[in-house]
Amino acid sequence: ITLTAAGAPFEIADPAEFTILEDTAAGFASALFYWETNCSHVRKNPYQVYFKAVDDDKPVNLFDLKSMNITVVGPAPENLTATALGNTIQLNWDENRCPNITGYQIYRRNGFTGYIPGYCETGVPAYTGYRLIATTITKETTFTDSDLSRGIEYCYMVVAYYPDGALSYASNEACAQLKKDVPVITNVSVEKTGTADGRIYIAWSKPTEIDVAQAPGPYKYLIYRSDDLNGSAFALIDSLSSLNDTI
């Protein structure tokens, strides 16, 4: 029996190897397929490999054919961290091991999932609850997210993508939430409507994570109001000197 192999992995730079093993019994054939892949082999579409076995029977040679698809997936971005800085969350990760990436995709969701990708599961699947919030076209390994609210744990994953659209494995999950170092308005209700005696009820939650070393106090609330529907031209209407007074 003669065993052969063909396909794309044998026709590219740094090709695969196919070595016939000599210690097989009569009527059998065995070989070793070996391919040491690298970053240049990463692509969106799989590579096809064909294995063919032909016997030496007479007058007709019988044969069998087996095909296989091999997808080469790029490595995941490593050591992703998320750090709250003021009203933003700063993401940082290590430089990708593949220099031929185009950029990165940044995904976000509320809350941790513990997601670990399967062998052929690239990118960040929709069932994880993550959504794409940004795509970079550079190899910079940092991103600042500013579309955030306090009191929510934001979790992130980062994926590298390649010129043909191939996606790497997803990075580790990294989570953070904004520090509650400012008051957060929780309620604005119209209690009475009137041209001269209208009344609006305002309530907020007090800051609980003030960095006293950076802002030692004393503290007070300044309350501003705008008559503009676009929320501009605010004017100071009141002030409170106790952080516990939140109405």
Side-chain angles (χ1 to χ4, degrees):
I1 296 177
T2 301
L3 188 60
T4 58
F10 300 101
E11 301 169 0
I12 58 176
D14 302 318
E17 300 174 4
F18 190 71
T19 306
I20 301 297
L21 301 180
E22 302 295 341
D23 57 350
T24 54
F28 294 87
S30 184
L32 175 66
F33 173 82
Y34 177 79
W35 187 16
E36 186 174 346
T37 56
N38 57 49
C39 292
S40 68
H41 298 139
V42 176
R43 74 180 194 185
K44 185 175 183 179
N45 295 324
Y47 295 85
Q48 289 188 316
V49 185
Y50 304 93
F51 301 100
K52 185 177 182 180
V54 182
D55 68 18
D56 58 357
D57 194 19
K58 302 298 183 182
V60 178
N61 300 121
L62 302 178
F63 74 92
D64 198 6
L65 192 65
K66 173 74 174 181
S67 64
M68 180 183 297
N69 289 327
I70 300 174
T71 301
V72 181
V73 180
E78 297 180 335
N79 299 319
L80 174 66
T81 61
T83 305
L85 297 173
N87 294 325
T88 66
I89 291 180
Q90 180 84 41
L91 304 181
N92 292 281
W93 58 92
D94 293 347
E95 183 178 356
N96 197 273
R97 287 185 285 144
C98 285
N100 54 325
I101 66 170
T102 299
Y104 295 97
Q105 295 179 346
I106 294 90
Y107 292 80
R108 184 185 71 199
R109 62 159 278 150
N110 299 348
F112 183 76
T113 67
Y115 167 75
I116 298 176
Y119 284 117
C120 292
E121 198 169 35
T122 61
V124 180
Y127 69 79
T128 62
Y130 275 88
R131 66 180 183 90
L132 180 66
I133 61 169
T135 298
T136 71
I137 55 174
T138 70
K139 299 177 184 179
E140 293 294 327
T141 57
T142 182
F143 176 78
T144 300
D145 188 15
S146 58
D147 182 22
L148 305 171
S149 300
R150 281 174 167 77
I152 298 175
E153 181 186 49
Y154 293 101
C155 293
Y156 300 86
M157 284 196 284
V158 175
V159 172
Y161 70 96
Y162 293 77
D164 71 340
L167 300 178
S168 73
Y169 289 122
S171 71
N172 59 291
E173 283 185 280
C175 303
Q177 57 180 316
L178 300 182
K179 290 184 178 180
K180 197 178 179 185
D181 55 1
V182 296
V184 178
I185 293 178
T186 58
N187 187 283
V188 178
S189 301
V190 177
E191 292 191 331
K192 185 179 181 181
T193 300
T195 57
D197 58 351
R199 186 168 62 249
I200 288 181
Y201 170 84
I202 306 170
W204 57 90
S205 61
K206 70 178 183 179
T208 56
E209 299 178 82
I210 296 177
D211 185 347
V212 295
Q214 184 177 1
Y219 310 106
K220 68 188 309 183
Y221 294 120
L222 300 178
I223 303 168
Y224 290 81
R225 182 183 68 202
S226 173
D227 297 328
D228 187 346
L229 293 178
N230 295 322
S232 60
F234 279 90
L236 181 67
I237 61 171
D238 205 348
S239 64
L240 304 173
S241 297
S242 172
L243 289 187
N244 293 321
D245 191 351
T246 59
I247 297 175

